[in-house]
Amino acid sequence: GDFVRNYSKKIGIMGGTFNPIHYGHLMIAEDARCFCNLDEVIFIPSGNSYMKEADDILPGELRFQMVKTAISSNSHFTCSDIEIKRTGNSYTYETLEELRKLYPEAELFFILGADNLFSIEKWRCAEKVFKECTLIAASRGEVVFDSLKKQADSLKETYQANVILLPERKMDISSTEIRERILNSQSVRYMMPEGVCNYI
Ligand code: ATP
Ligand code: MG
């Protein structure tokens, strides 16, 4: 009724460059939602850093539109422009602080692939990230599942991080490969939702 509060609302955060978004992103977000009973997954495209702008990264607004297109059929998926609206680099700990203000009672989860579980210790204010949310990590690429488990254990041990590993699944797909295929005029159909292909 009227007095029900959001105490136990579980919110997953799916951060990424999404240049472009593809089925690997959508699959780990849906896996995380189902495995951890999340009420909602918020996709948050990263802002354009000066470093990456020199590269071939599309403007935030375009990546945001592609994400919106990709998630439109899933009522549990939403997307936020808080990082693309920020100038300069966007740091995950700042995003979590902002979301914490918006959802003071919610339980926050950060969804990420294996590559990022191995680099997260180097992120700006990583200990704040560990404190503010539970990590949900997905297997990816050549990373052996056992070494992913070891990395999760090491983060728990060293930083008291909360880490949940998703059951192993390999979606051998990356935005890098999609960009290369487009440059080489190769097909990228079925690597991402059709709406995103059309958008590109
Ligand atoms: P790029 O090749 O440009 O780095 P990407 O495919 O790695 O693109 P990102 O936007 O960098 O996509 O990734 C966002 C998040 O999704 C990261 O945590 C990343 O590890 C995860 N991710 C992306 N693709 C996969 C995949 N195929 N399997 C598991 N995790 C993935
Ligand atoms: Mg990546």
Side-chain angles (χ1 to χ4, degrees):
D2 291 343
F3 300 104
V4 172
R5 296 177 71 184
N6 271 340
Y7 279 131
S8 57
K9 188 164 185 191
K10 294 174 158 195
I11 299 179
I13 298 146
M14 180 71 206
T17 317
F18 305 123
N19 188 40
I21 188 166
H22 54 69
Y23 278 128
H25 300 126
L26 294 162
M27 188 58 104
I28 71 169
E30 183 69 355
D31 270 350
R33 182 181 77 77
C34 299
F35 194 70
C36 300
N37 272 305
L38 307 178
D39 297 288
E40 180 183 353
V41 177
I42 309 176
F43 286 69
I44 307 186
S46 61
N48 279 36
S49 70
Y50 293 106
M51 225 171 65
K52 279 193 171 170
E53 234 166 345
D55 224 359
D56 58 343
I57 182 171
L58 288 169
E61 188 55 40
L62 292 183
R63 291 178 287 111
F64 179 72
Q65 289 305 329
M66 288 191 285
V67 170
K68 258 172 99 173
T69 303
I71 66 172
S72 62
S73 64
N74 190 328
S75 61
H76 299 281
F77 288 0
T78 58
C79 105
S80 162
D81 59 3
I82 50 176
E83 288 197 4
I84 62 171
K85 274 193 177 152
R86 219 178 279 153
T87 49
N89 274 312
S90 44
Y91 296 108
T92 297
Y93 86 92
E94 292 177 319
T95 301
L96 288 169
E97 281 173 355
E98 242 178 291
L99 291 173
R100 176 52 68 206
K101 282 182 205 142
L102 289 171
Y103 306 99
E105 315 275 10
E107 200 179 336
L108 300 179
F109 295 78
F110 191 82
I111 304 162
L112 74 184
D115 51 325
N116 277 330
L117 198 71
F118 280 95
S119 62
I120 193 166
E121 287 163 276
K122 293 182 209 112
W123 291 7
R124 177 79 61 96
C125 299
E127 61 305 330
K128 286 190 183 166
V129 176
F130 298 139
K131 213 174 149 211
E132 200 58 73
C133 66
T134 295
L135 303 176
I136 304 177
S139 46
R140 182 178 197 186
E142 325 79 88
V143 177
V144 177
F145 198 67
D146 204 53
S147 73
L148 192 60
K149 268 189 207 149
K150 286 204 179 103
Q151 174 65 1
D153 288 340
S154 146
L155 294 175
K156 288 179 197 171
E157 176 84 23
T158 316
Y159 307 96
Q160 284 72 55
N162 296 303
V163 188
I164 295 170
L165 288 188
L166 293 175
E168 187 171 21
R169 173 205 292 292
K170 294 274 177 68
M171 290 278 285
D172 189 6
I173 175 168
S174 70
S175 302
T176 300
E177 184 189 354
I178 292 170
R179 292 194 300 275
E180 284 169 2
R181 292 180 69 89
I182 291 170
L183 282 175
N184 295 320
S185 308
Q186 289 172 298
S187 170
V188 292
R189 283 180 83 180
Y190 313 123
M191 299 179 96
M192 65 201 113
E194 209 161 318
V196 180
C197 273
N198 295 337
Y199 197 94
I200 293 172

